[in-house]
Amino acid sequence: MKTAINKTMPSSAEGMSRVDGRLKVTGAAKYSAEYTPKGLTYGVLAGSTITKGNIIAIDTKAAERAPGVLAVITHLNAPKVPGDQPEKGKAADAKGALKVFYDDKIYYNGQPVAIVVADTFERALFAASLVKAQYKTEKHITSLPDNRDKGFPPRGEGTYKRGTEDAWKLAPFKVEQEYIVPTVTHNPMELHAIIANWDTDNKLTVWDKTQGVKDTQGDLAHLFKLPKENVQVHSQFVGGAFGSALRTWPHEVAAILAAKVVKRPVKVVLSRADMFTSVGYRPFTWQKIGIGATADGKLTGITHEAAGQTSSYENFTEGPTGVSQSLYACPNVNTKYHLVALDIATPTWMRGPGEATGAFALESALDELSYQLKLDPVELRLRNYAQTDPGSGKPFSSKFLNEAYQLGSDHIGWKDRKQEPGTVKQNGWYVGYGMGGGMFGAYRAGATIRAKFNADGTLLLQSAVSDIGPGTGTAMVLIAAEQLGIPAEKIRFELGDSSLPNAPTQGGSATTASVGSAVYKACADLKEKFQKLAGNGATNNPDYTKILKDSGLPSLEVVSETDGGNGMQKYAMNSWSVHFVKVLVNAATGVVKIDKVACVSDCGKVISPKTARSQVIGGAIGGLGMALMEESIIDHRYGRYINNNFADYHVPVNADIPQIDALFVNKPDPIINPMGAKGMAEIALIGMAAAVANAVYNASGKRVRDLPITPDKVMA
Amino acid sequence: MENKEAYPANDAAQDVKDSSRRNFIKQSTLLTAVALTPGTAIKAAADHIDEQIAAVFEKMPLKMQVNGKTQNLSVEPRATLLDILREQLDLTGTKKGCDHGQCGACTVHVDGHRINSCLTLGVMMNGRKITTIEGLANGNQLHPMQEAFIKHDGFQCGYCTPGQIMSAVACIREGHANSEHEIREYMSGNICRCGAYPNIVNAIQEVKDGGMAV
């Protein structure tokens, strides 16, 4: 592609700027809470103050009498959600999503017990504080380490074995260690929000923060027993999500119920504190790795155990041990995954789900092994490089991870790294280097594009897909510009609307591969239609506007559908990454400073260099937060988060982050789709936490196995 | 907002209102202080529109200039500048990210200085000049900082962007953009969860080094 990068490391100014950039820098981009349907009202949720038990009484009188209040809804007076009612042949207590205002049961602290609707936000917020519930409290459990003995294998994802179990134990060089990834919360900057309105008794419109308008449409149609076409979902701009908007949450249903009661549109915007309890999180996960190698660094066995937390009412799995099954060529691998049900809300997928957690343990353990072997960690990885997928034996659709290792180590100055830890000290700071990598499935799903070429030379592309920030519209416009040979500024991409043609939910790094394939096909179909119109003498670069003019047509339209491709049948398909980090560790305080970062992605062809670079840097910074500061802390005596705000839950700020170099192997994958593009969102984060931990060890000689790597742990 | 004010009161909800306050209004000598005849007020109470009258007492006048336009408003003392901008003036470019002054998404300029509008009560803004992201460009001509953010991709999802840009402009005006290190330090009150920090720094440096008027 002529728009693609021709070097491995673009600068921030290179490539086409975002197609929606102007809207975003002028404040004109409208997010879900920013629409004003006639008669708009405000809903504020009141949450449970206990962690487990039952509501025995709920006093809503004061709230009802407060100025401007239109309704106070609890489990006692809420309209029934048809889809929440028990189904015939299904156990009434079957596990599943939390049913809001369904009964008196409390499953976690902060669970919505009421929604107060008023004519202004201030009045609703005040009135919500007046709702008083009385509870019958039961003993709760919220700590995974204290309850690991209660673990159970999730259905279908419990154990895996190839070769001999625990073969690592017989190896001459071996490591066995435990690793902790704490609860980490997505915390996108935009608070989750919804405006719900019943247009008629059986027609619902929502402006909702969601990563998939079609999924949300389907969920709401099911819950409220409506035909899908009677549910309209708008989500044109999404202020980040990282997984938190992959499913339909209780506050969305609460807003829809409230709108039904007050017969007016209801807006619900979660508070930042709600963001910790209401829209998922990366689950606290305990892991243990046993890994062994021969004296020349050939892996002989890996045993990877993991126990992750879930809620008492729903099983959430994310496969943290998968990375140990596939990242390295190793003849003997066995893994075990357990869930521990706690009195907390259900976790959900967060950027690099499963792999980010698993790669912290595996890539840390590999680093520990490299020191035993006195072998360069990059060399150890190269000696166990998987040429084919170790799990399935299938060939990879493409894999250039070895080139990524080379690019990254050259760029960071890996040759300056000393194998002996704690030996380089400058001005009171230990200096060290570390690396860690990962993989994530390269997925592709079916998608449909409507493409309309107008007589004025403009092209309109339409898809229901959401864009939570990576720049989907920008990448799609670039694909169409390339395929049709027209300027990008003539192309408009419409998205985030459930009435538009089908697209998968934006998740799993699959959007460009999936929707991009449909754009590619729509352009090919459109071109063919033009060539047919032109008849004899049609060229490969038809003059579209002339053909329309000659034919007397105002426009030409195609609707093109692509499936998920069949590459997965024959190939193992993944994106790969490796992160190299140089850190400074303060000898007196244990403070870790990130000095230099080089992230290398092997994600096929890069479609949009500017936004791809930003996406990789963004993922890297998410990984640095996971490594150094992020942890949602529960006071287990009360089962309540105690750092549920941005002052106490630290995410990286500008001062924490140096320039980060994003490098791309940029070689097309010949299988996944005609563009050769694979996903990059997850791999940008996966492996980063281990890279930092490994660098901290190389600098200071202190191995930290429980994230985040805070100064107290470095000094301990 | 026009739509909301024009919407008829919800009768069912009015019926459950606090009767003590209704009685207070019926009996209050305060009524003589307003240009209402007692008869009108009593009739108003009987018609269950006393809450609207009470709301008048609870509100305070606010006159401020927003993006060059004078706004004469009547606001509750507890309403924040952020919520007044977003909910009453439909200036939704200013974002709510935490409502606690911890994230910077709500940054606006008051008399040229950056502040967190979520930590600022509207009634404190009498006579002040507010600039929001909507007022930064000169018509269709973007502010140099807006141009630089587009060029250097100083955002992904765009939600923190208005706050970042308002902060970035102030950062240069304050004289706090003299080095990469200084920019990072003085931009650390604006969180970007997508992780656009290096690009934001590049954008600010370009504007600063370009010597353009900000």
Side-chain angles (χ1 to χ4, degrees), chain A residues 12-13 17-18 21-22 24-27 29-31 33-34 36 39-40 42 64-70 121-123 126 185-187 189-191 238-240 242 263-264 267 272 350 468-470 610-611 613-615 617-618 621 630 645-647 651-655 657-659, chain B residues 1 3-4 7-8 10 13 16-18 21 51 55 58 76 78-80 83 86-87 90 92-93 95-99 102-103 133-134 140-142 146 149-153 155-162 165 180 184-185 187-188 191-202:
Chain A
S12 62
S17 295
R18 280 169 202 267
R22 193 181 174 96
K24 287 179 175 176
V25 301
T26 55
K30 272 191 181 294
Y31 298 79
E34 298 170 354
T36 50
L40 183 65
Y42 298 80
E64 282 162 3
R65 286 176 183 166
V69 170
L70 302 170
F121 169 66
E122 290 80 12
R123 288 169 153 195
F126 171 64
T185 305
H186 306 69
N187 271 322
M189 294 315 296
E190 183 198 18
L191 301 162
V238 181
F242 317 107
K263 298 185 166 51
R264 285 166 68 173
K267 166 153 79 176
R272 184 53 64 183
M350 181 170 172
I468 60 174
K610 185 174 285 191
T611 55
R613 176 184 174 280
S614 294
Q615 195 173 9
I617 290 172
I621 293 172
E630 294 190 40
N645 61 77
F646 274 142
V651 299
V653 297
N654 212 320
I657 303 299
Q659 289 291 335
Chain B
M1 231 160 301
N3 284 345
K4 275 178 258 173
Y7 205 83
N10 183 311
V16 296
K17 288 286 148 48
D18 187 344
R21 189 156 87 159
E51 282 304 334
E58 286 166 2
E76 286 196 33
R78 62 185 166 184
T80 63
D83 286 326
R86 284 175 66 82
E87 305 300 339
D90 202 20
T92 54
K95 304 301 184 193
K96 183 180 282 192
C98 70
D99 231 5
Q102 297 167 341
C103 81
I133 191 71
E134 290 93 341
N140 279 332
Q141 179 72 42
L142 292 182
Q146 292 171 313
F149 264 65
I150 293 176
K151 178 179 169 187
H152 289 282
D153 213 30
F155 50 89
Q156 286 195 65
C157 78
Y159 196 79
C160 74
T161 312
I165 290 175
E180 194 175 328
R184 282 195 207 131
E185 198 64 35
M187 288 300 292
S188 283
I191 298 175
C192 169
R193 191 60 163 150
C194 297
Y197 298 130
N199 296 355
I200 290 168
V201 170
N202 293 350

Side-chain angles (χ1 to χ4, degrees), chain A residues 77-305:
Chain A
N77 64 351
K80 286 208 175 345
V81 178
D84 278 349
Q85 304 315 309
E87 282 174 48
K88 269 186 194 158
K90 226 178 166 182
D93 60 349
K95 285 195 171 188
L98 184 91
K99 299 170 178 178
V100 71
F101 309 142
Y102 179 74
D103 58 20
D104 61 355
K105 288 196 178 62
I106 298 299
Y107 300 95
Y108 61 90
N109 208 302
Q111 177 185 326
V113 297
I115 183 169
V116 177
V117 186
D119 57 354
T120 71
F121 169 66
E122 290 80 12
R123 288 169 153 195
L125 185 64
F126 171 64
S129 73
L130 304 175
V131 174
K132 299 290 175 217
Q134 282 180 287
Y135 303 96
K136 184 165 121 327
T137 305
E138 287 175 51
K139 192 172 159 24
H140 63 260
I141 53 168
T142 52
S143 159
L144 185 137
D146 294 346
N147 294 283
R148 200 151 52 76
D149 58 333
K150 298 185 180 71
F152 58 92
R155 192 186 295 175
E157 281 190 60
T159 57
Y160 168 88
K161 193 176 96 171
R162 90 170 164 255
T164 311
E165 197 164 314
D166 293 340
W168 66 273
K169 287 181 177 170
L170 303 171
F173 293 87
K174 58 197 165 198
V175 167
E176 185 182 35
Q177 288 296 348
E178 295 183 13
Y179 303 90
I180 297 285
V181 172
T183 294
V184 172
T185 305
H186 306 69
N187 271 322
M189 294 315 296
E190 183 198 18
L191 301 162
H192 275 244
I194 180 171
I195 298 172
N197 188 47
W198 289 89
D199 307 326
T200 66
D201 280 350
N202 68 348
K203 237 178 144 239
L204 175 66
T205 297
V206 295
W207 292 263
D208 194 11
K209 181 182 178 97
T210 169
Q211 293 177 239
V213 289
K214 291 281 190 187
D215 270 10
T216 301
Q217 180 191 42
D219 283 353
L220 298 181
H222 166 75
L223 283 169
F224 291 93
K225 293 282 180 270
L226 298 169
K228 261 191 190 176
E229 57 274 18
N230 286 16
V231 179
Q232 170 64 43
V233 183
H234 298 281
S235 199
Q236 204 194 343
F237 286 95
V238 181
F242 317 107
S244 62
L246 282 169
R247 63 180 297 193
T248 303
W249 296 107
H251 73 274
E252 294 166 80
V253 180
I256 293 165
L257 286 175
K260 204 169 192 112
V261 171
V262 300
K263 298 185 166 51
R264 285 166 68 173
V266 174
K267 166 153 79 176
V268 172
V269 179
L270 294 186
S271 69
R272 184 53 64 183
D274 290 337
M275 296 286 283
F276 287 76
T277 53
S278 309
V279 290
Y281 53 88
R282 192 191 300 285
F284 188 113
T285 304
W286 167 94
Q287 298 177 84
K288 187 161 147 184
I289 298 247
I291 187 166
T294 61
D296 62 351
K298 279 281 193 191
L299 294 180
T300 57
I302 304 172
T303 297
H304 187 163
E305 279 182 76

Side-chain angles (χ1 to χ4, degrees), chain B residues 13 52 79 89 100 102 115 127 141 150-151 165 167 178 181:
Chain B
Q52 279 93 333
L89 299 177
H100 285 58
Q102 297 167 341
I115 57 133
Q141 179 72 42
I150 293 176
K151 178 179 169 187
I165 290 175
S167 235
N178 298 307
H181 175 80

Side-chain angles (χ1 to χ4, degrees), chain A residues 21-83:
Chain A
R22 193 181 174 96
L23 292 175
K24 287 179 175 176
V25 301
T26 55
K30 272 191 181 294
Y31 298 79
S32 291
E34 298 170 354
Y35 291 83
T36 50
K38 190 172 158 55
L40 183 65
T41 66
Y42 298 80
V44 171
L45 295 162
S48 161
T49 54
I50 66 154
T51 301
K52 187 183 185 184
N54 297 72
I55 304 169
I56 51 172
I58 187 157
D59 183 358
T60 58
K61 280 198 192 71
E64 282 162 3
R65 286 176 183 166
V69 170
L70 302 170
V72 180
I73 301 159
T74 70
H75 69 286
L76 296 171
N77 64 351
K80 286 208 175 345
V81 178

Side-chain angles (χ1 to χ4, degrees), chain B:
Chain B
M1 231 160 301
E2 178 191 359
N3 284 345
K4 275 178 258 173
E5 284 169 7
Y7 205 83
N10 183 311
D11 290 337
Q14 291 292 331
D15 283 337
V16 296
K17 288 286 148 48
D18 187 344
S19 59
S20 62
R21 189 156 87 159
R22 188 173 300 147
N23 291 336
F24 168 78
I25 288 172
K26 278 181 195 169
Q27 293 155 12
S28 175
T29 53
L30 261 178
L31 286 174
T32 57
V34 297
L36 269 175
T37 65
T40 314
I42 289 164
K43 185 173 183 308
D47 289 347
H48 294 203
I49 59 169
D50 51 319
E51 282 304 334
Q52 279 93 333
I53 295 173
V56 173
F57 288 115
E58 286 166 2
K59 283 186 174 177
M60 294 178 72
L62 167 62
K63 186 177 176 182
M64 60 181 180
Q65 211 186 81
V66 182
N67 300 331
K69 198 174 152 195
T70 301
Q71 298 285 352
N72 280 299
L73 303 168
S74 174
V75 301
E76 286 196 33
R78 62 185 166 184
T80 63
L81 175 60
L82 172 61
D83 286 326
I84 291 168
L85 290 171
R86 284 175 66 82
E87 305 300 339
Q88 292 198 40
L89 299 177
D90 202 20
L91 291 169
T92 54
T94 305
K95 304 301 184 193
K96 183 180 282 192
C98 70
D99 231 5
H100 285 58
Q102 297 167 341
C103 81
C106 66
T107 305
V108 298
H109 294 171
V110 174
D111 298 334
H113 299 284
R114 54 174 161 171
I115 57 133
N116 287 331
S117 63
C118 77
L119 287 188
T120 307
L121 293 171
V123 291
M124 296 157 67
M125 293 293 104
N126 251 321
R128 301 296 195 93
K129 285 183 182 166
I130 320 289
T131 306
T132 72
I133 191 71
E134 290 93 341
L136 197 60
N138 182 7
N140 279 332
Q141 179 72 42
L142 292 182
H143 185 280
M145 194 61 78
Q146 292 171 313
E147 293 280 11
F149 264 65
I150 293 176
K151 178 179 169 187
H152 289 282
D153 213 30
F155 50 89
Q156 286 195 65
C157 78
Y159 196 79
C160 74
T161 312
Q164 299 280 359
I165 290 175
M166 298 312 285
S167 235
V169 170
C171 185
I172 293 181
R173 285 183 190 163
E174 293 160 9
H176 289 145
N178 298 307
S179 69
E180 194 175 328
H181 175 80
E182 197 182 26
I183 292 170
R184 282 195 207 131
E185 198 64 35
Y186 280 88
M187 288 300 292
S188 283
N190 290 79
I191 298 175
C192 169
R193 191 60 163 150
C194 297
Y197 298 130
N199 296 355
I200 290 168
V201 170
N202 293 350
I204 296 172
Q205 279 198 307
E206 175 162 310
V207 175
K208 171 73 170 54
D209 296 346
M212 287 165 275
V214 294

